[in-house]
Amino acid sequence: MKSTSRYALVAALGFALAAVAPGAPAFAKKKDEAAAPQLKIGDAVRKPLAEADAAIKAKNIPAAEAALAQAKQASTTADERYVVAQYGLNAAQASGDQAKLSTALDELIVAGEAAGKLPDDQRAKFYWFQGQFAYQAKNYAKAEASLTKAIAAGSTEADAYAVLADVQNRNGKPTEALATLQKVIQTKAAAGQPVPTDWYGRGADIASRAKLPGDFVKITTSWLAAYPVKQNWHDSLFIYRQMAGLSGENDLDLLRLARAVDALPLAAQSNYVDYALAVYLRFPNEAVDVLNEGIKAGKLNPATSQNTREILALSQPKLGPDKASIPAAITAANGPKATFKSAMTTADLLYGYKDFAKAAEIYKVALTKPGADAAQANYRLGLALAQAGDKAGAKAAFDAAGATGNYGVLAQYAKVWVDHPAAS
């Protein structure tokens, strides 16, 4: 998470605080300012403040600090301590010393709160900068407390929530950090305001490192809806794959989704090989197509990849008989002896040949069979319908896949893809 640089903080605080003049106009009540809160300053404090003011203007910081030390010692009321703290911040700002500036800001906040003189706009600004200083000093507990107060006071800083989430995570509170990000994302979305893609990416990183798959899915599906670029699809799907430890049919179905959204060209060569290994014994055409896509994308080289070379050698001779078997397989799937498993095998065969409309028909048949795995069949039905151009039917199928388990998660991602196709 980026933080404001030292020089930016010094410059920003230069206009965050208006100088308080030491003479009568600053402290005496003017006729046209009758409603403004007034500060009562005694002569014992006023004189060294005037000296400090002159020294600050002359850039004589040691003299200013000496005068301020006198004023601070003479201060006996909350108002006096607050005004001295204001001058202290001006002197620190003029010095350009970040350590002095941070200390002076802390003193001003304490004095201002004690005097009851900090309106929300100043409170929000001062706590924001205090949080930035603490962040740079790696005092994340202080940064979290300050940023929380800045936000409570109505901070309008664009990165306030993102930086707060970052320090919460650094403080060992990933769940709270994700809740902070989700809150601002939802608020901005409801207001029709864009959310920076980095915020989603940071949330995804926090969730993955903390091993919070539910939170990871929640924030990445929001990310993909807002920024459906292929790299985001790749990262979301393959990090979830690792987090969930997918294997077998679940893993194959994630790889099929990654292929459908065209995220595989961004994946490692091992993912193409994993896909081919999962299907080559049952669906040689699908295995050959996937490997050829990997070769075309520059991810696979049969000369150097033994798995690629061997799967192609085993599968290519089977393509003719495999394709010739399709009509009889369709007839059997629609026949009275078909089972859920046999119908699914035929539907998957058709899916591998990219006959998505016909595959969808057979997936629907499979769903009518005893012992049907509704989550799996509806998910694959949704993939087929989406690629056949039936978006409404696809979303209905993904809904029918349920909201729990790995298929529930894959269906959530797939529904986002239907409405937000991956862009380059």
Side-chain angles (χ1 to χ4, degrees):
M1 186 67 61
K2 295 179 180 178
S3 61
T4 307
S5 72
R6 167 196 170 191
Y7 302 104
L9 281 173
V10 171
L13 276 169
F15 66 75
L17 175 66
V20 179
F27 305 130
K29 183 182 295 184
K30 297 181 181 179
K31 291 181 180 179
D32 58 351
E33 295 178 348
Q38 298 301 306
L39 296 168
K40 296 179 180 180
I41 307 300
D43 290 340
V45 176
R46 190 186 303 275
K47 183 178 182 296
L49 281 183
E51 295 173 359
D53 182 60
I56 292 170
K57 290 175 180 176
K59 306 295 185 184
N60 187 344
I61 304 306
E65 290 174 344
L68 284 169
Q70 293 179 28
K72 187 174 183 179
Q73 186 174 13
S75 299
T76 59
T77 68
D79 278 4
E80 289 175 341
R81 284 188 286 271
Y82 176 49
V83 174
V84 172
Q86 286 184 305
Y87 277 98
L89 185 62
N90 286 341
Q93 192 274 332
S95 76
D97 186 313
Q98 176 155 326
K100 290 180 179 180
L101 191 59
S102 178
T103 299
L105 179 60
D106 289 347
E107 291 177 354
L108 176 60
I109 289 173
V110 171
E113 294 285 21
K117 303 298 183 182
L118 289 183
D120 274 351
D121 59 340
Q122 275 195 335
R123 181 179 288 108
K125 189 172 295 184
F126 290 166
Y127 278 119
W128 163 252
F129 285 118
Q130 186 183 60
Q132 289 282 285
F133 283 128
Y135 185 100
Q136 289 192 347
K138 295 182 170 56
N139 186 343
Y140 299 122
K142 180 180 178 181
E144 180 181 353
S146 300
L147 292 168
T148 299
K149 291 176 181 177
I151 290 170
S155 176
T156 58
E157 295 292 337
D159 291 334
Y161 281 93
V163 179
L164 174 58
D166 187 62
V167 297
Q168 286 173 325
N169 184 55
R170 290 174 186 271
N171 284 331
K173 303 176 181 177
T175 302
E176 289 88 338
L178 290 164
T180 295
L181 283 175
Q182 288 287 5
K183 180 179 179 180
V184 69
I185 286 170
Q186 291 166 2
T187 300
K188 284 183 172 291
Q193 299 173 351
V195 178
T197 186
D198 289 348
W199 290 19
Y200 293 104
R202 181 58 179 149
D205 182 64
I206 291 171
S208 65
R209 290 178 185 274
K211 296 180 172 57
L212 298 170
D215 290 294
F216 180 83
V217 172
K218 185 175 182 180
I219 201 161
T220 52
T221 50
S222 297
W223 189 21
L224 294 170
Y227 297 95
V229 299
K230 292 177 183 177
Q231 187 65 56
N232 295 347
W233 272 104
H234 167 270
D235 295 349
S236 298
L237 292 178
F238 284 100
I239 291 174
Y240 173 73
R241 181 194 189 203
Q242 184 177 28
M243 290 179 72
L246 297 186
S247 61
E249 295 296 293
N250 290 153
D251 192 45
L252 171 60
D253 282 317
L254 180 140
L255 293 170
R256 280 176 168 161
L257 176 59
R259 184 187 184 196
V261 303
D262 200 24
L264 269 182
L266 300 175
Q269 68 170 0
S270 60
N271 295 321
Y272 282 97
V273 173
D274 287 347
Y275 192 142
L277 286 169
V279 296
Y280 82 101
L281 292 176
R282 297 173 295 164
F283 314 115
N285 183 72
E286 190 172 3
V288 169
D289 276 359
V290 167
L291 292 177
N292 283 336
E293 288 171 12
I295 293 168
K296 184 177 179 180
K299 295 290 183 176
L300 297 175
N301 183 347
T304 57
S305 171
Q306 182 177 350
N307 277 323
T308 300
R309 188 167 60 250
E310 290 182 353
I311 293 171
L312 288 173
L314 289 168
S315 301
Q316 285 172 329
K318 299 178 182 179
L319 296 185
D322 187 58
K323 189 171 185 178
S325 73
I326 291 175
I330 293 173
T331 299
N334 284 300
K337 295 183 179 181
T339 64
F340 170 72
K341 185 175 181 179
S342 67
M344 285 292 288
T345 298
T346 299
D348 288 340
L349 175 65
L350 292 162
Y351 183 95
Y353 276 94
K354 298 184 179 179
D355 189 347
F356 300 119
K358 194 65 179 178
E361 290 180 14
I362 307 302
Y363 283 129
K364 290 177 183 178
V365 170
L367 279 164
T368 68
K369 301 300 179 181
D373 183 337
Q376 182 188 75
N378 276 302
Y379 172 78
R380 293 182 182 178
L381 171 61
L383 283 185
L385 289 171
Q387 292 172 94
D390 183 357
K391 291 186 176 182
K395 287 195 288 186
F398 290 134
D399 284 336
T404 60
N406 287 320
Y407 278 114
V409 171
L410 294 178
Q412 288 182 57
Y413 282 119
K415 281 189 286 186
V416 175
W417 163 60
V418 171
D419 286 329
H420 306 278
S424 60

